[in-house]
Amino acid sequence: NLGCGTQRLDANIINIDFVSFPHVDITADFSEPLPLKDSCVDGILSISVLEHMDNPRLAANEIVRVLKKGGILYVNTPFLYPYHAAPYDYSRWTLSGLSNLFGEEMELVVSGPRGGVFCLYIITTAHLIGQLFSFGNDKFYRIFNHLTLGILAPLKYFDWFTCKMPFNEYFAPSYYWIARKK
């Protein structure tokens, strides 16, 4: 579980993160190889972590190195999602960019957008309301932002329809990308 955060999903899962939370097994910034053997991992779950890496190519190489042949990689990464430092936010990825990043050793299984135009509308409107009514105060910005997100949240159900429409991937808040090691 790459980018595992503060909770353990299962006792059989190795948790890797940049920050040493209580449930993190390996703290890594990928400047050095992971303390794992080549081709020893069945699957890797990476939830919105690539944008926080200053050198995602190193991480991608390590992921491919430790993944077993036939192993599955699940990546979720923001595309039109707002900046969110944790502690830094360096990049955004397209589906073709992810394919390029992980290289020819990975075979794409399925990919697509997570969310649609209504999700983007909600996020953008919440940030706009936060900006307009905070008067430069970070606490007020967060209050108005979260309040607006809560009020507009039911609109996300309309994305059930828009996500099935052509060209939805052009306006995705984030993408999922699932691949198998060849």
Side-chain angles (χ1 to χ4, degrees):
N1 183 7
L2 178 59
C4 64
T6 59
Q7 296 182 348
R8 180 173 294 284
L9 296 176
D10 185 89
N12 297 318
I13 294 176
I14 299 169
N15 284 333
I16 302 173
D17 207 319
F18 303 111
V19 181
S20 183
F21 295 115
H23 297 293
V24 171
D25 300 306
I26 300 170
T27 304
D29 65 0
F30 295 96
S31 59
E32 296 181 18
L34 293 172
L36 299 171
K37 295 178 183 176
D38 293 356
S39 304
C40 68
V41 176
D42 295 317
I44 296 177
L45 175 66
S46 174
I47 303 294
S48 293
V49 71
L50 288 175
E51 73 275 13
H52 301 295
M53 297 180 176
D54 64 344
N55 192 339
R57 177 80 55 201
L58 291 176
N61 291 342
E62 272 301 284
I63 287 169
V64 172
R65 180 186 70 81
V66 301
L67 200 57
K68 289 180 181 176
K69 182 178 180 178
I72 297 292
L73 169 61
Y74 174 91
V75 174
N76 180 77
T77 186
F79 180 55
L80 295 176
Y81 196 82
Y83 173 87
H84 57 283
Y88 305 105
D89 188 347
Y90 294 110
S91 61
R92 295 293 180 266
W93 294 90
T94 61
L95 294 174
S96 57
L98 290 169
S99 292
N100 183 55
L101 177 68
F102 286 98
E104 299 207 4
E105 290 187 60
M106 300 300 293
E107 174 185 23
L108 180 63
V109 175
V110 65
S111 65
R114 291 195 64 214
V117 294
F118 283 94
C119 186
L120 287 174
Y121 169 76
I122 293 166
I123 293 167
T124 305
T125 302
H127 282 278
L128 175 62
I129 296 297
Q131 289 259 338
L132 291 175
F133 296 105
S134 68
F135 302 104
N137 182 301
D138 184 60
K139 184 176 179 179
F140 288 150
Y141 170 79
R142 293 180 188 281
I143 289 170
F144 283 110
N145 184 301
H146 286 92
L147 185 63
T148 306
L149 286 172
I151 292 168
L152 297 178
L155 292 175
K156 288 172 75 171
Y157 290 108
F158 289 111
D159 275 338
W160 190 83
F161 300 106
T162 63
C163 284
K164 299 176 187 323
M165 297 176 133
F167 313 114
N168 183 56
E169 69 184 50
Y170 297 171
F171 296 102
S174 64
Y175 291 121
Y176 68 91
W177 189 84
I178 302 172
R180 178 180 295 110
K181 186 172 178 182
K182 296 179 185 176

